[in-house]
Amino acid sequence: SYAIIARQIGGTDVLEQIDLAIPSPNAGEVLIRHTAIGVNFIDTYFRSGLYPWPVEKDLVLGSEAAGVIEQLGEGVSGFSIGDRVAYTLPNGAYVTHRALDAKHLVKLPEGISDEVAAAAMLKGLTAHYLLHRSYVPERGQTVLFHAAAGGVGLIAGQWLAAKGVIAIGTAGGPEKCALASQHGYGQTIDYRSENFVDRIKEITDGQGVDAVYDSVGKDTYPGSLHCLKTFGSLVNFGQSSGPALDFKLSDLAAGSFSVTRPVLFHFTAQPGYLQSAADALFDMIGRGDIKININQKFPLSDAALAHGELEGRKTTGST
C-alpha cells in the first residue's frame, strides 16, 4: 500500500511516494481498494497552496476515486464486501487503499466502469450542481461555458444539449474547439485567436448570454460580465488562471447581474444530494446522453507528471 503526498506547498516536485500500512476501517467505515483515481485542477490548487491546507505538511491529494470494498467496519449497513463504489471528497484519494465513512460512498450501477466513475464523480457532480442548483438554464436560453474542452466542460456541454439549452464554449486552439463541438456546444470560440467578448456579441446579435459558467477566473473576468444580458448570472466555480482579485460588487450594477461562487462539497454535505445527483449523472451516462472521455491515463506513481500536463493545458476531458 502506498500514497502520493505533497511534502509541502509548491510545484510538482513536492510530490513524493511513501509506503503505508493498509488501514483498518473504524465503526461506520469501509476499507476501499482503489482501482481508479481522478485527477483535477482542485488537486493542483491544494498542492500549490491556492487552497488552504487541512494539515501542516504531507498532504495526500486527490478528490475523486472508485474502487472495491474489501472490509466493513462495525455498524455499516447497505454495503457489502466486493461492492464497487465511488466518492468525491476534497483530499486523500492518491492512495492504493483508504478507509472511509460509508456515508460518502455511492454504489456503482452495472454499466458504469470504475474508471468512468472515477473520471466522472467530481466533474459530473460539478456539472450537476452548476446546471441544477447554481444557475438553472431553461430550454432555448443561451449560456457561455469557459474551458469547454476540459473535464467539467465536456460533461456540461452534453447535459446542456440534452436540456435544449444553446451552449457556447471557449477553448484554447482549434483541436480543443473541435472536441467541444462534438460534445454539445453549438458554437465554440478559440480564446487564443479570438476575443470571446466580441464573438459573443456577434453570435448573440449584441444580446449577450443568460449565464456564464467560469472556472478560469482572473483571465476571463471581467470579460465574462461583459458577455451577460441584463439580469444575467455569472457562476464562478474555479480559478485555473488565478483568482479574480479585482472583483467589486459595483461591477454587477452594469446590468443588474447576479454572481455566485458555489463549491461542490457544500452540496454533497447536504443530506440526500450526493445519491440523487449521482443517480442523475449515472442515468445520463447509462443512456448515452453523456459520454465520459478519459483522454489521459497515468500510473499513480506518476502523479507529478499528470499535474504538469494538466497545468500545462496539455490535457482534454478527464484524466
Side-chain angles (χ1 to χ4, degrees):
S1 172
Y2 70 93
I4 300 292
I5 57 167
R7 282 282 177 212
Q8 74 251 353
I9 285 168
T12 57
D13 56 336
V14 302
L15 297 177
E16 200 172 303
Q17 183 171 327
I18 59 163
D19 289 327
L20 289 178
I22 293 178
S24 288
N26 295 322
E29 293 184 337
V30 302
L31 173 68
I32 302 167
R33 175 176 55 81
H34 283 156
T35 52
I37 301 161
V39 183
N40 294 281
F41 265 105
I42 191 174
D43 306 350
T44 71
Y45 296 165
F46 275 111
R47 192 207 71 229
S48 68
L50 192 59
Y51 285 4
W53 280 31
V55 291
E56 294 279 302
K57 60 181 176 61
D58 298 349
L59 176 61
V60 179
L61 301 169
S63 305
E64 64 181 341
V68 178
I69 294 180
E70 294 210 321
Q71 212 178 324
L72 300 176
E74 203 181 316
V76 172
S77 60
F79 292 98
S80 309
I81 289 172
D83 280 351
R84 295 188 312 120
V85 292
Y87 66 87
T88 178
L89 287 167
N91 285 296
Y94 288 7
V95 291
T96 56
H97 297 76
R98 186 175 189 183
L100 260 191
D101 192 317
K103 73 179 181 191
H104 298 306
L105 302 176
V106 293
K107 274 193 217 179
L108 297 184
E110 278 184 38
I112 304 287
S113 72
D114 295 11
E115 285 192 351
V116 163
M121 281 296 285
L122 185 136
K123 292 173 275 285
L125 295 184
T126 296
H128 181 276
Y129 83 70
L130 288 173
L131 305 183
H132 301 87
R133 296 286 182 95
S134 302
Y135 176 82
V136 185
E138 293 170 12
R139 179 173 292 278
Q141 284 189 319
T142 304
V143 303
L144 171 63
F145 208 103
H146 287 302
V152 177
L154 293 182
I155 296 171
Q158 297 172 82
W159 219 324
L160 287 162
K163 288 178 173 298
V165 177
I166 299 156
I168 305 167
T170 66
E175 286 170 9
K176 286 192 174 185
C177 284
L179 188 65
S181 296
Q182 293 156 17
H183 291 80
Y185 291 94
Q187 301 255 12
T188 57
I189 299 168
D190 181 352
Y191 66 76
R192 286 186 187 159
S193 62
E194 302 175 295
N195 178 305
F196 73 84
V197 179
D198 293 345
R199 287 285 292 124
I200 287 291
K201 294 279 189 285
E202 283 172 28
I203 293 167
T204 64
D205 291 330
Q207 296 290 302
V209 295
D210 293 286
V212 178
Y213 298 94
D214 188 342
S215 64
V216 179
K218 186 173 115 188
D219 290 356
T220 44
Y221 180 90
S224 290
L225 283 188
H226 293 314
C227 292
L228 290 172
K229 287 179 181 173
T230 310
F231 305 117
S233 294
L234 170 63
V235 182
N236 172 254
F237 65 103
Q239 44 202 46
S240 60
S241 67
L245 298 175
D246 51 353
F247 170 73
K248 299 180 296 301
L249 277 174
S250 55
D251 296 347
L252 305 178
S256 295
F257 300 136
S258 298
V259 65
T260 181
R261 178 59 179 90
V263 174
L264 172 63
F265 303 114
H266 293 157
F267 291 97
T268 54
Q270 292 185 306
Y273 176 82
L274 176 64
Q275 191 63 56
S276 65
D279 287 346
L281 173 66
F282 293 150
D283 186 50
M284 293 292 281
I285 295 171
R287 286 210 306 258
D289 287 338
I290 291 177
K291 291 182 174 61
I292 302 296
N293 296 67
I294 301 170
N295 294 344
Q296 301 77 215
K297 291 183 195 180
F298 300 86
L300 177 56
S301 50
D302 283 347
L305 180 61
H307 277 218
E309 298 279 291
L310 189 65
E311 290 176 300
R313 302 288 192 277
K314 296 192 173 103
T315 67
T316 56
S318 298
T319 303

